């Protein structure tokens, strides 16, 4: 093969592979571990603010997509989500905050806006576990408001009601008698 | 020969520089796989978030200013272990050996506390807190640019278990 062409190919694969790989990592991981997926786009996220505030409207417009996966009991048991998060670290995501040990855990990773933004995280409360991927360039300062709106909009999408007996239920899990 | 001596001297200097925060890092590593111990880590990115937020009140503004200068927070804690007192003594000794300056100790029959700092050029760049009760133990390290006057504000507003003990330093 022409040496020049080979170099071009190496550069191109090096440049584009990480971009493809970003959401694929969590997708591949959750293919075998998810029980439920919530996929929220700006149009659905806007519904979380019934007051129609222009600031919230602007904020959700910066979000390309927010995907929340409810994971099954195998993820809780084998902590395989840690490998998935390590994959994101290898792609240049920095740890923003983490809490582990005990039954409540959370991990939040993100990249600077100038590096493409995006956040990925895992939240675990007792035996319920969720992972999320947020693509888009959202300002840090807007994250608390987004979480608040997601919590307030719980009646509609019921994302954060982790203690609800039906939430995160895996149809493959054995039912209690 | 001269080169070797220089390299050895440099290695010692480098080791000294990396030693900052080594106590908490050692405990993080030691109990990494022990699920009885909760490990919390907050990076500078999280603290920098506060610089971008619009403060609603004067109190919020003061809190945000104080927090925005912080570079990180690490906590190792456990709620129910039988040897919490021994763990406290060991951690307090490790902090002393690592060259921290003792700021305050509280010896209470129920719970003991130690606050120590690392200071450089008049700026506190790490505050370490060790708490040992009958069954509970907390090792907390707060690093960055720390103003002791703001510690109680940070302690009150960041509702992290263990961190509220920092507020006692301001009052006692």
């Amino acid at each position: 093969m022409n040496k020049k062409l080979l170099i071009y190919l190496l550069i191109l694969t090096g440049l584009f592979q990480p971009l493809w790989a970003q959401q694929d990592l969590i997708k591949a991981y959750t293919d075998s571990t998810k029980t439920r997926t919530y996929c929220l786009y700006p149009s659905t996220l806007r519904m979380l603010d019934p007051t129609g505030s222009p600031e919230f409207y602007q904020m959700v417009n910066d979000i390309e997509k927010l995907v929340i996966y409810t994971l099954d009991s195998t993820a809780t048991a084998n902590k395989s989500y840690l490998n998935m998060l390590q994959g994101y670290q290898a792609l240049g995501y920095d740890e923003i905050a983490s809490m582990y040990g005990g039954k409540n855990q959370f991990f939040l990773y993100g990249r600077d806006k100038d590096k493409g933004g995006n956040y990925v995280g895992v939240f675990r409360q007792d035996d319920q576990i969720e992972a999320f991927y947020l693509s888009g360039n959202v300002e840090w300062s807007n994250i608390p408001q987004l979480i608040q709106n997601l919590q307030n909009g719980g009646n509609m999408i019921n994302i954060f009601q982790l203690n609800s007996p039906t939430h995160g239920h895996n149809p493959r899990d054995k039912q209690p008698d | 020969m001269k080169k070797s001596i220089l390299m050895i001297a440099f290695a010692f200097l480098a080791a000294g520089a990396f030693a900052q925060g080594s106590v908490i890092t050692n405990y993080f590593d030691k109990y990494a796989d022990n699920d009885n111990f909760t490990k919390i880590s907050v990076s500078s990115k999280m603290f920098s978030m506060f610089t971008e937020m619009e403060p609603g009140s004067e109190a919020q503004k003061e809190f945000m200013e104080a927090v925005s200068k912080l570079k990180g927070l690490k906590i190792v804690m456990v709620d129910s272990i039988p040897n919490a007192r021994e763990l406290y003594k060991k951690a307090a000794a490790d902090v002393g050996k690592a060259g921290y300056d003792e700021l305050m100790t509280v010896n209470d029959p129920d719970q003991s506390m130690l606050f120590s700092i690392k200071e450089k050029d008049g700026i506190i760049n790490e505050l370490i807190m060790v708490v040992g009760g009958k069954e509970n133990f907390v090792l907390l390290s707060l690093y960055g640019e720390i103003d002791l006057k703001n510690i109680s504000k940070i302690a009150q507003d960041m509702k992290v278990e263990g961190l509220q003990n920092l507020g006692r330093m301001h009052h006692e």
Side-chain angles (χ1 to χ4, degrees), chain A:
Chain A
M1 191 187 284
N2 182 319
K3 203 176 170 184
K4 230 176 192 175
L5 184 68
L6 182 68
I7 292 167
Y8 281 137
L9 276 172
L10 282 173
I11 292 169
L12 282 173
T13 48
L15 279 175
F16 289 109
Q17 190 272 335
L19 291 175
W20 289 327
Q22 280 166 32
Q23 203 192 336
D24 284 354
L25 267 179
I26 195 165
K27 260 187 181 171
Y29 171 67
T30 54
D31 266 352
S32 59
T33 54
K34 70 170 184 276
T35 59
R36 202 179 294 175
T37 307
Y38 300 94
C39 200
L40 306 166
Y41 294 93
S43 53
T44 37
L45 288 167
R46 274 197 290 271
M47 291 180 206
L48 296 171
D49 182 39
T51 63
S53 103
E55 290 83 18
F56 189 77
Y57 188 93
Q58 181 56 49
M59 176 183 63
V60 297
N61 271 356
D62 293 335
I63 296 172
E64 201 179 302
K65 188 166 61 172
L66 170 64
V67 193
I68 300 170
Y69 304 93
T70 303
L71 307 181
D72 66 16
S73 52
T74 57
T76 317
N78 62 20
K79 296 182 183 174
S80 49
Y81 50 86
L82 295 175
N83 294 333
M84 185 263 295
L85 292 171
Q86 274 176 4
Y88 277 101
Q89 268 190 308
L91 289 176
Y93 284 65
D94 296 319
E95 182 186 294
I96 294 165
S98 68
M99 183 174 104
Y100 56 100
K103 285 192 169 179
N104 296 333
Q105 307 194 351
F106 78 83
F107 299 90
L108 179 61
Y109 287 75
R111 284 189 318 181
D112 287 338
K113 207 175 166 180
D114 56 359
K115 289 178 187 163
N118 302 347
Y119 299 96
V120 63
V122 173
F123 293 82
R124 179 178 162 188
Q125 191 178 340
D126 297 321
D127 291 329
Q128 311 290 344
I129 182 163
E130 310 213 341
F132 80 90
Y133 187 85
L134 189 152
S135 53
N137 273 320
V138 187
E139 287 290 352
W140 239 127
S141 53
N142 290 326
I143 296 289
Q145 199 193 339
L146 178 66
I147 291 171
Q148 199 177 0
N149 280 70
L150 281 166
Q151 284 172 326
N152 293 342
N155 289 337
M156 184 176 77
I157 49 176
N158 199 23
I159 290 171
F160 285 100
Q161 292 189 3
L162 292 168
N163 287 324
S164 148
T166 54
H167 186 82
H169 164 67
N170 183 353
R172 286 173 294 184
D173 286 347
K174 196 183 167 193
Q175 289 298 302
D177 297 324

Side-chain angles (χ1 to χ4, degrees), chain A residues 79 94-106 108 110-112 139-141 143-144, chain B residues 28 31-46 48-49 52-54 74:
Chain A
K79 296 182 183 174
D94 296 319
E95 182 186 294
I96 294 165
S98 68
M99 183 174 104
Y100 56 100
K103 285 192 169 179
N104 296 333
Q105 307 194 351
F106 78 83
L108 179 61
R111 284 189 318 181
D112 287 338
E139 287 290 352
W140 239 127
S141 53
I143 296 289
Chain B
F28 249 70
Y31 297 107
D33 297 325
N34 188 333
D35 276 349
N36 292 325
F37 286 77
T38 300
K39 283 78 62 181
I40 298 170
S41 174
V42 179
S43 75
S44 58
K45 274 184 186 292
M46 182 69 104
S48 67
M49 170 182 121
E52 294 167 18
M53 290 172 85
E54 282 294 320
K74 278 183 187 284

Side-chain angles (χ1 to χ4, degrees), chain B residues 1-150:
Chain B
M1 181 69 183
K2 219 174 193 178
K3 203 176 168 186
S4 304
I5 292 168
L6 272 174
M7 280 180 78
I8 292 166
F10 181 76
F12 273 103
L13 280 174
F18 285 117
Q20 191 178 354
S22 60
V23 174
I24 191 87
T25 309
N26 288 345
Y27 277 77
F28 249 70
D29 294 344
K30 190 175 178 183
Y31 297 107
D33 297 325
N34 188 333
D35 276 349
N36 292 325
F37 286 77
T38 300
K39 283 78 62 181
I40 298 170
S41 174
V42 179
S43 75
S44 58
K45 274 184 186 292
M46 182 69 104
F47 290 116
S48 67
M49 170 182 121
F50 292 100
T51 58
E52 294 167 18
M53 290 172 85
E54 282 294 320
S57 63
E58 193 56 35
Q60 275 180 346
K61 193 181 166 190
E62 284 176 10
F63 168 72
M64 285 174 192
E65 275 175 9
V67 161
S68 64
K69 289 176 185 168
L70 299 176
K71 296 283 177 210
L73 167 73
K74 278 183 187 284
I75 307 173
V76 177
M77 59 200 286
V78 60
D79 278 337
S80 50
I81 46 160
N83 62 337
R85 284 282 180 185
E86 284 77 45
L87 204 51
Y88 170 79
K89 283 178 191 165
K90 169 85 172 62
D94 288 344
V95 169
K97 277 184 221 158
Y100 289 81
D101 298 322
E102 192 176 300
L103 207 61
M104 186 182 84
T105 53
V106 179
N107 285 314
D108 195 275
D110 293 327
Q111 187 163 266
S112 297
M113 279 192 278
L114 164 74
F115 294 93
S116 294
I117 55 166
K118 260 208 175 152
E119 200 177 2
K120 197 182 175 189
D121 301 329
I123 295 167
I124 297 169
N125 39 42
E126 190 182 357
L127 170 76
I128 204 155
M129 180 188 83
V130 192
V131 180
K134 283 174 183 159
E135 290 189 323
N136 67 302
F137 167 78
V138 180
L139 177 64
L140 177 152
S141 167
L142 189 64
Y143 45 98
E145 198 178 312
I146 301 163
D147 185 344
L148 284 181
K149 281 181 280 181
N150 291 324

